Amino acid sequence: MDTQTWIYLVVGLTFALYLGIAIWARAGSTQEFYVAGGGVNPVANGMATAADWMSAASFISMAGLIAFLGYNASPYLMGWTGGYVLLALLLAPYLRKFGKFTVPEFIGDRFYSKTARMVAVLCLIVASITYVIGQMKGVGVAFGRFLEVEFETGVMIGMAIVFFYAVLGGMKGITYTQIAQYCVLIFAYTVPAIFISFQLTGVPFPQIGLGANMADGTALLDKLDQVVTDLGFASFTDPEHNTLNIFLLTMSLMIGTAGLPHVIIRFFTVRKVSDARISAGWALVFIAILYTTAPAVGGMARLNLMNTIQTGPIGSPEGNLEYENRPEWFRNWETTGLLAFEDKNGDGRIQYYNDANPEFAAEAASYGWAGNEMVTVDRDIMVLANPEIATLPGWVIALVAAGGLAAALSTAAGLLLAISSAISHDLLKGMFTPKINEKQELMAGRIAMAGAVLLAGYMGMNPPGFAAQVVALAFGLAASSIFPVLMMGIFSKRVNKAGAIAGMLTGLLSTVIYIFVFKGWFFVPGTNWFPNTAEYWLLGIQPESFGAVGALLNFAVAFGVSRVTQAPPAHIQELVESVRIPRGAGMPTGH
Amino acid sequence: MNHAPESGAAAYWKENVRLLMTLLVVWFVVSYGAGILLVDLLNQIPLGGYKLGFFFAQQGSIYVFVALIFIYVRKMNQLDRKYDVHEE
């Protein structure tokens, strides 16, 4: 069977599975729609959380980042896993004990304020919508490359699938689909990695293979460092000396992870508090399988790529691959424009080196090289082309296609649920039309979900030009506004309504403004006040890393304001005490 | 009896916070300490084919994170029983 047939088969089967689950897991009540009925097994919820969490960015982009940034991509690895420690220890069990449907609902009750709840809804909706656009775009890209359909058609097929199981099944449908999607995506990610690790080092575990020796006895990482530095690139394992930004970026991603509402609400679906704790552990186990594999995928793909092009000694005329003899995968990716070659010195061979490195310029010139000829090497192809680079069979390539789609769809569904529950439960039931009955609320939830799917699809097809920037915004918002206020709501009895609102607004505005002054207001190019370069950054802090600073300001302002205003009423202090004790956690309710 | 006495609840919370702090110190040391602040120093030490600082940044800290959550779960379940606040 050829690769294309395999792709249709595997993607078609996984989609049939998701639709089957959707029909089986229909939601009959708001409890099922918002929290999947509240009795999800903690291991199953861990798996669903992992799929919910790992997006198209984790699946497709992260290994590519590592391939080209090496050590300097570490904040993504540590940040997007270390956040689960914070979530498990500081938030999940207590929010589960609180026992309601949404994150803004906790903020509204704990700070006895509808305003606080509104601000939380605003943060949630902005963070989730920006995030979901990226997922829809990922669906379109994956379809475009693998199923040879138009980008828009791809997005529409993706929308139709999500629409079906999210609108019909709510959290219940999403939970069981995410479990299936996790299995698809983790299998798709690890199988090529195992093959490649085995090819290069003889060790089937990529995590160990990355630290193992190659057939010639040198360590793989030493070899990789040498291959890249010999061509003027930065060493793979050495840190770039920008410790402050690496530190703050890791911190922002960690607390942002812990504060993302679509992840937090997954812990409302388990039966009791102790289940919420262990479920976070399982979630991290399932996430860690992919995250510890990613450095191996990145490093090994980089080595394979370099060796494919630099086939012999550097500087010898025969040392570089002849363009005419380039492999099949090279041709495939050239047609997508994600890989491009330009024969600058007209020798018919490919020179791939760092022509921006002044120390290497003289050496390159002495070989008759006239600039780097791999003019485009898109980072995202490292995972997608990896099986082809390593000449793995067609069914593995098909798996990767299905895995990328599973990662994007599962995250999109989780985000859409967070958005629709904020609209139907926090805005309608909690604010504007408190008199609606359960049936009406369920219908409102479905309509909100349908609206959110359509909006996400539309934005995915017409990205507002800032799709690449939005991740920083989503994490910045979650880190600076949502996480601190949740944590203070549990760990302090003294922080009151005024403190929480002032803190949230300070964190939110400081972070958003800091991002906008360097990246343009609402990311409109040219509207930035300062160039986005280190000389202009406050204390040298890049906008992506500012979420942690925003969080710090949030804590400081909230405590300060609370100190000079009245303590929360007695019943709120009792609420905090009850949240801290596991016993008595009922099923989540809407009342 | 549905609720532990007031002093019990306070003591439970105090022990809980102490456990959290201990675990978060480890959380900080393996990631921000070994993976970022001390990376150059630790990179002098090899671990198989890995440099130790690089290993902590891209592998080791993640394994420790997983272990921390499971230790927390175990300790909290013990604590819940000790103060009689566990669920049925």
Side-chain angles (χ1 to χ4, degrees):
Chain A
M1 242 191 312
D2 71 341
T3 305
Q4 206 55 42
T5 320
W6 271 117
I7 291 175
Y8 281 115
L9 188 74
V10 174
V11 173
L13 279 177
T14 57
F15 278 23
L17 176 67
Y18 307 153
L19 293 180
I21 293 171
I23 292 164
W24 168 69
R26 281 185 310 263
S29 64
T30 49
Q31 205 201 26
E32 288 188 338
F33 192 82
Y34 293 135
V35 293
V40 179
N41 174 286
V43 183
N45 184 55
M47 217 178 250
T49 308
D52 194 53
W53 170 241
M54 291 191 287
S55 59
S58 294
F59 189 91
I60 299 172
S61 307
M62 199 172 56
L65 270 177
I66 298 167
F68 292 99
L69 297 180
Y71 167 83
N72 296 306
S74 304
Y76 299 98
L77 290 161
M78 289 188 283
W80 286 342
T81 53
Y84 278 85
V85 178
L86 299 179
L87 192 58
L89 271 55
L90 304 178
L91 301 181
Y94 309 108
L95 294 177
R96 171 61 192 87
K97 172 64 195 293
F98 178 66
K100 297 286 176 74
F101 287 154
T102 70
V103 172
E105 198 173 8
F106 172 78
I107 293 175
D109 283 12
R110 164 63 183 83
F111 298 107
Y112 45 101
S113 157
K114 285 193 171 179
T115 314
R117 191 171 178 181
M118 277 306 98
V119 177
V121 168
L122 179 77
C123 297
L124 181 153
I125 289 183
V126 176
S128 302
I129 285 187
T130 47
Y131 209 146
V132 82
I133 298 168
Q135 305 308 315
M136 283 300 171
K137 212 170 151 255
V139 171
V141 170
F143 267 107
R145 163 64 186 93
F146 291 110
L147 295 166
E148 293 166 354
V149 297
E150 288 295 311
F151 178 82
E152 282 77 13
T153 318
V155 174
M156 268 188 263
I157 299 172
M159 271 168 64
I161 302 278
V162 174
F163 190 91
F164 202 68
Y165 67 75
V167 173
L168 216 56
M171 186 59 124
K172 194 176 166 197
I174 289 171
T175 301
Y176 294 103
T177 337
Q178 280 174 337
I179 293 169
Q181 284 162 334
Y182 176 78
C183 298
V184 173
L185 81 88
I186 202 67
F187 193 59
Y189 202 83
T190 48
V191 164
I194 289 168
F195 269 113
I196 291 166
S197 175
F198 191 74
Q199 279 177 354
L200 289 176
T201 63
V203 182
F205 297 101
Q207 291 86 346
I208 300 171
L210 186 62
N213 290 347
M214 300 181 61
D216 64 1
T218 51
L220 188 142
L221 282 170
D222 291 342
K223 178 93 173 175
L224 176 57
D225 276 344
Q226 196 206 331
V227 167
V228 293
T229 49
D230 279 354
L231 288 164
F233 293 103
S235 152
F236 187 81
T237 56
D238 281 346
E240 167 203 332
H241 287 279
N242 198 340
T243 309
L244 177 69
N245 274 317
I246 291 204
F247 189 99
L248 287 177
L249 180 58
T250 309
M251 187 67 91
S252 302
L253 295 174
M254 276 199 197
I255 55 187
T257 299
L260 279 176
H262 75 284
V263 179
I264 296 175
I265 54 174
R266 284 239 47 98
F267 294 94
F268 299 173
T269 68
V270 295
R271 203 169 57 82
K272 49 186 190 168
V273 173
S274 55
D275 283 357
R277 294 181 193 139
I278 191 112
S279 195
W282 283 113
L284 188 55
V285 167
F286 294 126
I287 292 167
I289 296 173
L290 189 144
Y291 274 60
T292 54
T293 306
V297 171
M300 291 174 186
R302 180 83 184 276
L303 186 62
N304 274 336
L305 177 71
M306 302 304 292
N307 285 340
T308 303
I309 294 168
Q310 190 71 47
T311 53
I314 295 165
S316 88
E318 285 79 43
N320 294 76
L321 179 72
E322 272 181 292
Y323 183 62
E324 280 313 306
N325 294 335
R326 65 196 188 283
E328 185 64 34
W329 62 264
F330 200 119
R331 294 166 202 261
N332 284 343
W333 286 96
E334 271 183 317
T335 59
T336 64
L338 298 177
L339 202 62
F341 165 76
E342 190 189 318
D343 196 358
K344 291 180 179 165
N345 64 350
D347 67 349
R349 290 173 182 270
I350 306 172
Q351 282 93 40
Y352 180 36
Y353 69 102
N354 184 9
D355 57 7
N357 180 353
E359 287 167 35
F360 191 69
E363 191 183 335
S366 75
Y367 301 144
W369 294 358
N372 175 29
E373 299 182 346
M374 295 290 286
V375 286
T376 310
V377 184
D378 191 281
R379 284 171 181 167
D380 285 355
I381 70 173
M382 294 318 277
V383 165
L384 299 176
N386 210 12
E388 297 168 87
I389 298 177
T391 58
L392 299 181
W395 62 269
V396 180
I397 299 165
L399 257 183
V400 172
L405 289 167
L409 292 176
S410 57
T411 306
L415 289 160
L416 291 164
L417 186 89
I419 296 167
S420 71
S421 61
I423 292 172
S424 60
H425 193 64
D426 292 312
L427 285 184
L428 291 178
K429 177 82 182 172
M431 196 68 70
F432 298 120
T433 54
K435 290 206 176 73
I436 53 172
N437 63 32
E438 190 190 316
K439 228 171 150 185
Q440 289 166 319
E441 190 186 340
L442 181 61
M443 181 50 75
R446 289 203 159 111
I447 294 170
M449 177 76 82
V453 174
L454 293 175
L455 177 70
Y458 175 79
M459 304 272 273
M461 279 186 248
N462 305 287
F466 57 79
Q469 319 272 21
V470 298
V471 174
L473 184 65
F475 278 91
L477 282 179
S480 63
S481 62
I482 301 172
F483 176 82
V485 82
L486 290 176
M487 196 185 150
M488 288 183 289
I490 297 159
F491 283 82
S492 161
K493 287 188 211 168
R494 186 63 183 78
V495 174
N496 61 16
K497 171 163 95 178
I501 296 171
M504 266 196 287
L505 289 175
T506 307
L508 173 75
L509 292 176
S510 62
T511 305
V512 168
I513 291 172
Y514 194 81
I515 293 176
F516 282 168
V517 295
F518 290 110
K519 298 200 163 210
W521 291 89
F522 302 95
F523 301 110
V524 176
T527 58
N528 52 322
W529 290 357
F530 304 106
N532 191 16
T533 53
E535 303 95 82
Y536 291 91
W537 294 337
L538 185 68
L539 303 172
I541 300 168
Q542 61 186 17
E544 287 80 1
S545 303
F546 198 80
V549 181
L552 204 64
L553 293 173
N554 183 339
F555 279 118
V557 168
F559 280 119
V561 171
S562 299
R563 244 191 131 77
V564 296
T565 45
Q566 214 170 23
H571 74 276
I572 296 298
Q573 307 207 17
E574 278 160 30
L575 169 77
V576 176
E577 269 164 26
S578 87
V579 162
R580 292 175 176 182
I581 300 286
R583 181 170 292 168
M587 285 298 174
T589 63
H591 324 289
Chain B
M1 195 177 81
N2 269 331
H3 291 283
E6 195 56 53
S7 61
Y12 167 78
W13 184 248
K14 217 171 155 187
E15 260 197 73
N16 173 11
V17 172
R18 196 179 314 137
L19 172 65
L20 291 181
M21 298 303 278
T22 316
L23 295 174
L24 287 178
V25 167
V26 180
W27 165 83
F28 186 88
V29 167
V30 293
S31 51
Y32 297 93
I36 297 175
L37 299 173
L38 301 175
V39 66
D40 289 316
L41 189 71
L42 292 177
N43 272 350
Q44 314 287 326
I45 306 163
L47 177 78
Y50 283 112
K51 295 175 187 168
L52 194 58
F54 179 86
F55 172 80
F56 267 108
Q58 301 214 337
Q59 297 278 319
S61 58
I62 303 176
Y63 300 133
V64 178
F65 295 155
V66 172
L68 285 176
I69 300 185
F70 281 93
I71 293 168
Y72 167 74
V73 171
R74 227 184 107 89
K75 292 268 184 197
M76 283 308 283
N77 285 343
Q78 288 169 358
L79 207 60
D80 289 353
R81 291 196 172 274
K82 181 175 159 193
Y83 286 93
D84 192 34
V85 293
H86 60 281
E87 299 151 294
E88 299 70 39

